[in-house]
Amino acid sequence: MIKKELAHIRKQFKLDHDLLNISDILNVYIMKESNEIYHWERQLFDLVDREKQELYMGNFKKLLTGELDQKLFELKFLEEAEDPSQVLLHQALVTGDPDEWQDLMLLLVEKMMVDTKYERDTVVTFVRGQYFRPTKARNDEAEESEKDEMFAHPFILCSVNSTEKPRNSLLFDYVEREFKYNVIVDPIIKLSSPEQGFFYPSVTDNYSDVNRILYCTGKANEPNQHFVEQVLNAERSMTAREERAVFEEIVKEVAGEQLGATTLAQVYEEIQQVIESNEDAEEPPKLDYRDVERVLTVSGVEDVTTEKVERAFQMIVDDKNYEMKASSVMPKFTSKSIKIDTKVATISVSPQDLKYVKQVNYQGRRCILIEVDEDAVIEGFTLSTETL
């Protein structure tokens, strides 16, 4: 799955969209005390009150919002899993019987409750439906042609949401003209902040891929490994933060602990070129030891050899043939995603502007030197320029 495919799916989740059809919705309420299903209900989505539909749509869109490998993870199913969820989900995907779909989803909820203690009452919501996509690539902003052939993609989406106790409040009664203390006992389902969920099947090159699932987590770089491995029976995937740490350790092993800002900036520019040149590829671009060797050599790191880089891969990840996603190993290229922490100040700079930053020795003291094109302004005052 690539960003464009994910963006297309997310864009469909709004009411009255002609390229999305949700048929059924199933809500399951789990009590934290007993860790059992307290209540469940299934409805035709079209029969749900419109106000509720809007809340659900907002929840689904929120669930599918985020960066790949940070909040959204495309996972492969484990082949050797006992009672695999892939079989359950695929059967639920293809069945035309709403009762069978409901029973299969309830079986999945039972798997969610095994070896898990929920801190709060929890609601698990499932919907099934299909979205449509033209078989031929075209500009999504252009008007749809009558000749465009639309292909239906059936899907199952799951959202896990916790509940919270409502706040008691003071109300004014217009009829009785008096202030009233309002006590509410019904728990509030936090639809605006889903904790986790999934979208099945995933998409590869605009086609449904039943061998993969898109797992969604509410906290960036913090997937629930128990849910991934024991409920979905999917392979664990490195987060972008973990993969960036691996890349940093490999570079340190090859180039040493110290790198000049200009060299580091060049490293990021080389990786960005890899990302941009493979923007429309079926799979996200990856970096193996040969790519890392080339990037470091082109960036001016001295004494880089194939053997050094291979040994670093083997030492850090125990696999010299490991491949890292290019998008994961670097901060966002155009935003101020790099933080330079000092005792005096924290400076934010983008990878593309890192080349304008240097650490220099001035009169025996380490200083950060930043090249700027315009006068610096602090609290409305333009700084005077000193000549060193």
Side-chain angles (χ1 to χ4, degrees):
M1 175 174 281
I2 59 177
K3 286 184 177 180
K4 287 185 178 179
E5 293 168 335
L6 177 60
H8 175 83
I9 295 170
R10 184 169 53 235
K11 193 164 61 175
Q12 314 310 318
F13 279 88
K14 52 187 176 183
L15 290 183
D16 305 322
H17 199 293
D18 58 352
L19 297 183
L20 176 73
N21 175 37
I22 296 179
S23 53
D24 295 277
I25 181 169
L26 172 68
N27 283 304
V28 184
Y29 196 97
I30 301 173
M31 295 287 288
K32 68 174 182 178
E33 289 86 359
S34 60
N35 206 42
E36 295 178 348
I37 296 176
Y38 177 74
H39 176 71
W40 62 264
E41 65 176 29
R42 187 191 86 226
Q43 290 179 280
L44 292 173
F45 192 75
D46 285 343
L47 298 183
V48 175
D49 294 341
R50 189 172 181 84
E51 292 77 9
K52 289 183 182 179
Q53 289 182 350
E54 290 177 349
L55 290 173
Y56 285 127
M57 283 297 190
N59 175 59
F60 302 150
K61 199 160 190 172
K62 181 76 172 179
L63 183 73
L64 296 172
T65 298
E67 295 289 335
L68 289 168
D69 301 313
Q70 293 184 32
K71 295 189 73 173
L72 306 170
F73 299 84
E74 187 183 41
L75 307 175
K76 293 181 181 178
F77 288 103
L78 292 167
E79 295 181 359
E80 67 277 9
E82 183 179 345
D83 190 22
S85 292
Q86 181 184 9
V87 175
L88 184 154
L89 286 167
H90 187 265
Q91 180 59 30
L93 186 72
V94 299
T95 184
D97 184 356
D99 291 328
E100 183 182 11
W101 174 77
Q102 162 197 296
D103 294 341
L104 290 168
M105 295 301 95
L106 290 174
L107 284 175
L108 195 60
V109 173
E110 290 181 7
K111 291 187 72 170
M112 293 181 191
M113 295 187 294
V114 175
D115 298 326
T116 300
K117 184 66 177 176
Y118 292 99
E119 297 179 358
R120 299 177 179 178
D121 289 359
T122 300
V123 176
V124 184
T125 300
F126 298 95
V127 293
R128 68 169 183 159
Q130 56 186 0
Y131 67 94
F132 298 86
R133 191 181 184 107
T135 55
K136 295 181 180 179
R138 65 180 177 89
N139 185 349
D140 286 339
E141 295 181 358
E143 290 188 8
E144 182 181 336
S145 167
E146 292 181 0
K147 296 181 180 179
D148 285 339
E149 183 181 359
M150 306 300 288
F151 189 80
H153 296 262
F155 70 87
I156 296 171
L157 183 144
C158 168
S159 177
V160 180
N161 299 74
S162 64
T163 64
E164 63 182 359
K165 292 182 179 179
R167 296 179 180 178
N168 296 335
S169 55
L170 188 66
L171 302 179
F172 179 71
D173 189 327
Y174 275 101
V175 177
E176 300 294 334
R177 297 192 179 188
E178 63 179 357
F179 295 95
K180 291 183 177 179
Y181 181 62
N182 189 45
V183 179
I184 305 175
V185 296
D186 296 331
I188 297 173
I189 302 169
K190 298 167 67 176
L191 289 178
S192 60
S193 53
E195 294 194 341
Q196 61 182 341
F198 63 79
F199 182 89
Y200 176 80
S202 185
V203 178
T204 300
D205 193 24
N206 293 329
Y207 289 95
S208 295
D209 187 347
V210 296
N211 294 313
R212 300 188 185 193
I213 189 168
L214 184 70
Y215 168 75
C216 317
T217 178
K219 296 181 180 179
N221 292 296
E222 295 184 20
N224 184 323
Q225 296 303 336
H226 179 271
F227 191 93
V228 168
E229 296 172 6
Q230 302 303 320
V231 178
L232 300 181
N233 306 131
E235 293 181 356
R236 184 189 184 282
S237 176
M238 267 201 186
T239 67
R241 184 165 59 193
E242 290 171 332
E243 205 147 58
R244 187 177 305 163
V246 166
F247 176 73
E248 291 171 359
E249 290 301 315
I250 289 173
V251 172
K252 287 178 183 178
E253 188 64 31
V254 176
E257 292 284 338
Q258 294 187 347
L259 274 183
T262 302
T263 302
L264 189 55
Q266 187 62 39
V267 168
Y268 288 145
E269 286 186 8
E270 291 294 327
I271 296 175
Q272 182 65 18
Q273 286 181 13
V274 173
I275 295 172
E276 291 177 353
S277 60
N278 292 274
E279 219 168 14
D280 295 323
E282 294 180 10
E283 293 286 337
K286 296 182 178 181
L287 304 174
D288 61 11
Y289 71 88
R290 301 179 193 85
D291 299 311
V292 173
E293 179 192 359
R294 183 192 65 80
V295 167
L296 295 181
T297 301
V298 171
S299 301
V301 178
E302 298 179 353
D303 301 324
V304 178
T305 64
T306 302
E307 292 73 21
K308 263 190 177 182
V309 182
E310 277 188 330
R311 188 166 58 248
F313 268 74
Q314 188 67 38
M315 183 183 299
I316 304 303
V317 291
D318 199 26
D319 181 6
K320 70 177 184 179
N321 295 313
Y322 181 76
E323 295 179 325
M324 298 172 283
K325 289 184 179 179
S327 60
S328 295
V329 303
M330 61 178 290
K332 290 185 178 180
F333 192 66
T334 57
S335 64
K336 295 180 180 179
S337 52
I338 295 177
K339 299 289 187 288
I340 303 173
D341 290 314
T342 71
K343 183 174 68 175
V344 176
T346 297
I347 303 166
S348 299
V349 63
S350 68
Q352 68 178 355
D353 292 329
L354 190 58
K355 57 190 174 185
Y356 301 117
V357 180
K358 289 181 176 64
Q359 180 170 282
V360 298
N361 189 306
Y362 172 64
Q363 296 182 351
R365 297 182 179 181
R366 282 192 298 267
C367 301
I368 298 293
L369 178 66
I370 303 176
E371 181 185 337
V372 294
D373 293 329
E374 67 285 329
D375 287 330
V377 178
I378 298 179
E379 295 294 327
F381 295 96
T382 301
L383 292 185
S384 60
T385 301
E386 302 178 30
T387 302
L388 302 181

